[in-house]
Amino acid sequence: MSKSENSAAEPVKRCCPAMDKLMKEHDLPGLPAWSVECLNRLFSSLADPTRLRIIHALVNNDRLNVTELAEHTGLSVSAISHQLRLLRDRFLLNSDREGRAVYYSLADDHVRKLFCIGVEHAYNDCTNSLRREAEREA
């Protein structure tokens, strides 16, 4: 049996149950445009050093206010505030007001998992060229 015959007989492996549902609903090859845009917004939201530092701080702490985030990230309150709004608008963070303070937390465990998988991938990739380059500069 050839490789193509074998793969045609086996069910297609999807990355997650959500992908199975999406492909059933869509019933066409490829991703629907709206899901591509949603993924684009998600990954572009994470493609910023300030936002990554904010997410990292919240992965390691259940909830923090802007001042605490500034302390954890080493960034200014003003640098963080704009990014918090974007992360909240993209459904990556929740915010809860307590008196005058607003506390931020990760929207759900998917955000934590996505960040941690990204760290693992970056760590493995950085053992190659980026890590060696950084070590040379240090």
Side-chain angles (χ1 to χ4, degrees):
M1 180 181 289
S2 74
K3 190 174 181 179
S4 61
E5 289 173 10
N6 188 28
S7 63
E10 295 176 10
V12 176
K13 289 187 177 182
R14 308 260 191 236
C15 62
C16 61
M19 181 64 80
D20 288 331
K21 291 178 189 175
L22 179 65
M23 298 316 287
K24 265 187 192 173
E25 292 171 9
H26 184 56
D27 199 31
L28 293 171
L31 293 170
W34 64 265
S35 67
V36 171
E37 179 57 27
C38 185
L39 287 166
N40 181 51
R41 288 181 186 187
L42 169 65
F43 288 114
S44 68
S45 299
L46 298 175
D48 176 86
T50 300
R51 293 191 290 264
L52 288 174
R53 286 183 175 97
I54 290 168
I55 300 252
H56 176 251
L58 291 170
V59 161
N60 293 312
N61 299 275
D62 287 336
R63 50 184 250 158
L64 298 169
N65 64 33
V66 179
T67 305
E68 292 167 334
L69 280 165
E71 291 170 6
H72 281 277
T73 61
L75 301 166
S76 70
V77 169
S78 62
I80 290 173
S81 294
H82 170 72
Q83 304 302 337
L84 286 170
R85 184 171 53 252
L86 185 141
L87 290 167
R88 194 180 62 236
D89 290 349
R90 301 259 174 109
F91 307 106
L92 297 174
L93 297 184
N94 292 324
S95 61
D96 297 306
R97 182 173 292 280
E98 288 186 14
R100 295 178 64 178
V102 178
Y103 287 88
Y104 295 88
S105 59
L106 299 178
D108 56 42
D109 202 45
H110 294 117
V111 179
R112 179 183 313 279
K113 288 177 186 174
L114 183 60
F115 180 82
C116 291
I117 289 168
V119 169
E120 284 183 45
H121 180 77
Y123 179 82
N124 291 330
D125 182 52
C126 287
T127 59
N128 298 322
S129 61
L130 292 175
R131 188 173 190 173
R132 284 193 300 268
E133 184 179 312
E135 289 171 349
R136 271 194 305 267
E137 292 175 4

